[in-house]
Amino acid sequence: MAMILISQGRDMTPWAEALKEKRPELDLRVYPDDSNKEEVAFALVWNHPLGVFKEFPNLKCISSMGAGVDHIMKDPELPANAAITRVTDENLTRDMADFCVALVMNHLRGLAFYKMQEAAHDWQPRHYLNISDVTIGVMGVGVLGAHVASQLSNLGFKVNGWARSKKMIEGVEIFSGDTMLGDFLATSDILICLLPLTKETTDILNRDTFQKLPKNAFVINVARGAHLVDADLIEMIDTGHLSGASLDVFRQEPLPEEHPFWSHPKINVTPHIASVTEPKAVVSLILENYDRVRNNEHLLNVVSPQKGY
Ligand code: NDP
Ligand code: OXD
């Protein structure tokens, strides 16, 4: 039985090194590879060439190298008999919360504006917001969103969360389902998107959604670029309904040189670095699932093909 690494545009060396360090005897291949494809039962992937899995008739598991699986689910030719899994990791979860806290505090204290004023040698103190002035709405309170919501609540923010199903997170009020979306948005002075990208959540950050937010709301998207309708965000900021946005993810990455987000004074751009999967931190989990495939046992972190996450 063999494992194959498949990616377009991501350096596989740290993954191969981390896997080999943990399991030197692993039959590990890196796509493209001409060895017997029937031996491959496990694929570890990020942005694979669509349709590639047809080459491996005995594939039992396709594992994402990250938390998101949209890059796998968009393949119209997924093998029916292979489970889809993803990684969860306490470092990834912690880093996402740290990053969201940094963006929220940056917004409250207007640090991005002072950076612009500094460039212009302009000394203009501005009114700033306190923790008690704002309510934060976290869209998607799964592994990452739930921790982000808890950390912000621990800092003293009033925090609401939105998910498909009801759940309990201490200090966080949960709104569930499409029927409660409007009420959730109406209280979100800062909206943080941590949804997975699915049919239902594509384009969810649109004009209609933004209009339901309070005036001067601020938008943070750290999930996927295709949640956001770019032109709607710019329109809602330029017409004064939204105060600005911090974006870490984009429809096209890297963000094209000519994209208006780069130069918009009220939009902060970061290069998909909110929380980065460290191969060394997750190879034990991946090897655990590899062993479970070999022993025909149930896998960890399985994604629901129906829900798409
Ligand atoms: P999870 O699958 O653990 O959580 C997803 C959450 O979204 C759940 O609460 C789920 O609700 C909710 N949700 C899904 N669909 C809907 C819907 N239609 N309506 C309402 N709620 C919905 O995901 P993670 O927390 O692990 O990750 C979230 C995303 O973050 C990833 O998919 C990835 O795209 C992104 N990401 C970004 C990174 C970055 O560096 N920028 C790094 C890592 C991940 P319920 O609980 O009811 O199922
Ligand atoms: C992920 C990501 O999904 O890095 O893990 O975006």
Side-chain angles (χ1 to χ4, degrees):
M1 174 173 149
M3 180 188 294
I4 191 154
L5 307 182
I6 310 179
S7 174
Q8 303 176 100
R10 191 160 180 165
D11 181 13
M12 290 295 95
T13 316
W15 288 93
E17 284 175 359
L19 284 160
K20 278 297 199 182
E21 193 182 318
K22 267 263 177 295
R23 178 98 35 111
E25 71 281 12
L26 181 69
D27 182 346
L28 181 66
R29 303 164 188 190
V30 180
Y31 188 86
D33 175 271
D34 285 334
S35 329
N36 183 354
K37 297 189 177 191
E38 295 187 3
E39 292 165 354
V40 175
F42 196 104
L44 179 58
V45 309
W46 189 264
N47 279 335
H48 64 281
L50 299 184
V52 74
F53 300 126
K54 284 198 298 292
E55 297 180 29
F56 306 97
N58 296 320
L59 211 50
K60 298 283 181 309
C61 177
I62 301 168
S63 171
S64 172
M65 287 176 180
V69 290
D70 46 294
H71 57 104
I72 300 175
M73 304 310 279
K74 75 178 180 198
D75 189 334
E77 296 182 276
L78 286 180
N81 298 329
I84 315 287
T85 60
R86 68 191 193 109
V87 300
T88 56
D89 166 52
E90 59 187 26
N91 297 337
L92 196 68
T93 307
R94 177 204 58 208
D95 291 356
M96 182 56 84
D98 289 353
F99 190 69
C100 289
V101 168
L103 294 182
V104 165
M105 295 313 298
N106 183 23
H107 167 60
L108 257 56
R109 302 308 303 260
L111 299 185
F113 286 101
Y114 290 120
K115 200 65 209 159
M116 284 190 293
Q117 285 192 186
E118 182 189 323
H121 299 197
D122 191 9
W123 182 279
Q124 297 279 355
R126 293 160 56 110
H127 168 75
Y128 56 80
L129 295 167
N130 284 307
I131 288 177
S132 57
D133 293 331
V134 296
T135 297
I136 299 180
V138 182
M139 292 183 105
V141 278
V143 173
L144 301 179
H147 188 62
V148 168
S150 293
Q151 293 296 94
L152 290 165
S153 166
N154 291 342
L155 286 174
F157 286 99
K158 163 114 182 63
V159 184
N160 296 327
W162 183 64
R164 272 157 64 115
S165 52
K166 273 257 159 249
K167 55 192 85 263
M168 295 283 290
I169 303 172
E170 203 184 324
V172 180
E173 186 177 348
I174 299 296
F175 295 67
S176 58
D178 291 344
T179 50
M180 297 187 85
L181 179 60
D183 290 344
F184 164 80
L185 293 171
T187 58
S188 300
D189 299 303
I190 299 177
L191 183 71
I192 300 180
C193 180
L194 265 167
L195 291 164
L197 187 65
T198 64
K199 274 201 304 296
E200 291 77 24
T201 66
T202 297
D203 294 338
I204 195 167
L205 299 176
N206 58 36
R207 183 189 294 109
D208 187 46
T209 299
F210 296 144
Q211 276 168 341
K212 293 181 175 135
L213 295 170
K215 188 160 165 52
N216 287 326
F218 188 80
V219 174
I220 293 176
N221 186 16
V222 280
R224 285 291 181 267
H227 293 302
L228 175 66
V229 181
D230 297 1
D232 289 2
L233 177 74
I234 291 176
E235 179 196 323
M236 294 306 279
I237 294 175
D238 289 349
T239 54
H241 184 65
L242 297 178
S243 57
S246 278
L247 308 175
D248 184 56
V249 285
F250 304 91
R251 284 182 183 260
Q252 190 184 333
E253 294 180 3
L255 185 63
E257 173 60 33
E258 65 285 0
H259 199 289
F261 286 164
W262 280 119
S263 52
H264 198 291
K266 294 184 176 172
I267 295 177
N268 310 317
V269 168
T270 49
H272 200 144
I273 44 69
S275 181
V276 178
T277 310
E278 173 56 49
K280 279 198 164 98
V282 296
V283 289
S284 298
L285 168 69
I286 287 159
L287 288 168
E288 172 67 36
N289 264 346
Y290 182 76
D291 292 339
R292 285 169 182 246
V293 167
R294 188 167 39 210
N295 300 330
N296 220 5
E297 291 168 356
H298 82 272
L299 303 182
L300 306 174
N301 295 331
V302 176
V303 169
S304 153
Q306 285 73 35
K307 290 198 283 184
Y309 67 95

